[in-house]
Amino acid sequence: ELIEALIEGFCHQNSKIRRCSYSAIANIDEEAWTSELIDLLVNGFHDEDSTARDAAWDAFKTILLTAPTKQLIDTVISTSLDPKGHFHWSAWCVHMDIGKREVSKEVIDALVDVLKHQQSDARKMACRSLANIGKHTPTKEMINGLIDILSDPDSEVRKEAREALETIGDKGELTDVLDTLIDILLHHPTKEAQRTAARILKKTDLTTVKTELIDALIKALNGKDLSVREDVFIILGEIALKSSKKEAINGLIHALSD
């Protein structure tokens, strides 16, 4: 009954009732934030009354940052890409806050899909949100998507991708993406991608490092790029110091003898 009353309030001729109905949506249980309700809320972005419009946007933003979904991500992207829309700039800015809390894989995958968007502004915004998510919940798809756009034709997109990749693993474990990083380090055709993987791998918990990582790092010492080899050498040195792994020590000795 409450939801029905709020929906009726969205269409009320009195702008104050519409405004209060929009605002109330942000305070109901998350389970009630259905896709149909969100669609009706988004219609409020075009309300003829500015205070009602603002209330609709504020409620939408609260829901987006509290319980993001693919629908909400798609909506905020399209809103930010509409220069004539009332909330064009506000939607741009909110991307800096998406992902500060843990989000679902559905949301991460939706943002990774946006990295392929035909408009460069959308790709930049996705990078900004993924920069937050990558600190605590990096995924294989996220890393590969960001690596791919290091060669984006737009220099600003490339810059945003680099900055997003720099945050990977800042606050969380890299265990689930270790294989992906190793594959990039050893097999990616570009030096920048290899360097990026090496720098992320520096954040690995080196006290519990697995043999597969040590083996990969030793192989990477034979790479052609000096900066990659330097980063790998530093990681192996840290592993040797913190875990006294025989394989790491032997790899360093072999490298120094070459």
Side-chain angles (χ1 to χ4, degrees):
E1 292 183 3
L2 173 61
I3 302 300
E4 292 177 1
L6 292 175
I7 290 174
E8 287 181 9
F10 291 171
C11 305
H12 201 282
Q13 62 181 2
N14 188 317
S15 63
K16 291 182 179 179
I17 292 177
R18 296 198 302 274
R19 183 184 70 220
C20 291
S21 298
Y22 293 137
S23 296
I25 290 298
N27 298 314
I28 62 177
D29 291 338
E30 291 183 23
E31 291 76 14
W33 292 338
T34 63
S35 59
E36 293 79 11
L37 187 63
I38 297 301
D39 284 339
L40 293 171
L41 178 63
V42 171
N43 288 337
F45 293 179
H46 308 288
D47 195 292
E48 62 185 16
D49 181 80
S50 62
T51 60
R53 287 198 304 270
D54 288 345
W57 169 255
D58 287 342
F60 172 86
K61 185 170 69 172
T62 296
I63 296 170
L64 171 67
L65 298 181
T66 303
T69 63
K70 182 181 185 303
Q71 178 191 16
L72 294 166
I73 294 296
D74 290 343
T75 300
V76 77
I77 289 289
S78 61
T79 303
S80 60
L81 293 176
D82 180 10
K84 295 181 180 179
H86 295 291
F87 303 107
H88 164 66
W89 180 243
S90 298
W92 255 97
C93 295
V94 80
H95 281 277
M96 301 296 290
D97 296 319
I98 295 173
K100 288 186 176 179
R101 300 181 182 183
E102 201 160 316
V103 299
S104 67
K105 191 173 184 301
E106 176 202 31
V107 170
I108 296 173
D109 289 345
L111 288 165
V112 170
D113 284 343
V114 177
L115 294 176
K116 302 172 187 175
H117 200 284
Q118 61 181 359
Q119 292 195 44
S120 61
D121 282 347
R123 301 196 296 275
K124 282 185 278 188
M125 286 182 282
C127 286
R128 292 177 184 179
S129 298
L130 289 170
N132 289 327
I133 299 170
K135 293 177 182 178
H136 51 77
T137 319
T139 67
K140 172 185 176 180
E141 294 79 10
M142 177 195 304
I143 292 173
N144 283 330
L146 290 169
I147 288 288
D148 285 345
I149 61 169
L150 287 175
S151 57
D152 195 279
D154 188 302
S155 62
E156 291 186 15
V157 173
R158 296 196 299 273
K159 176 177 177 290
E160 295 284 355
R162 290 187 190 101
E163 291 179 357
L165 284 162
E166 287 174 3
T167 72
I168 297 292
D170 278 358
K171 298 179 180 179
E173 290 290 329
L174 290 171
T175 305
D176 292 342
V177 294
L178 197 60
D179 289 345
T180 299
L181 293 168
I182 289 173
D183 185 60
I184 293 168
L185 175 65
L186 295 179
H187 305 299
H188 200 279
T190 70
K191 295 177 181 178
E192 182 174 14
Q194 294 171 10
R195 287 196 298 269
T196 299
R199 288 165 187 166
I200 296 173
L201 285 168
K202 285 182 179 179
K203 303 175 187 179
T204 305
D205 181 0
L206 301 178
T207 60
T208 60
V209 69
K210 295 183 178 180
T211 302
E212 64 175 319
L213 175 57
I214 297 175
D215 291 344
L217 292 170
I218 291 172
K219 287 181 183 178
L221 285 173
N222 297 318
K224 296 180 180 179
D225 187 77
L226 177 60
S227 63
V228 174
R229 295 200 305 272
E230 288 175 344
D231 284 337
V232 168
F233 194 88
I234 291 170
I235 300 171
L236 280 171
E238 290 289 324
I239 293 172
L241 286 171
K242 293 181 178 180
S243 67
S244 300
K245 290 278 188 179
K246 181 179 178 181
E247 300 92 338
I249 296 170
N250 289 340
L252 288 170
I253 292 172
H254 179 71
L256 288 170
S257 64
D258 286 345

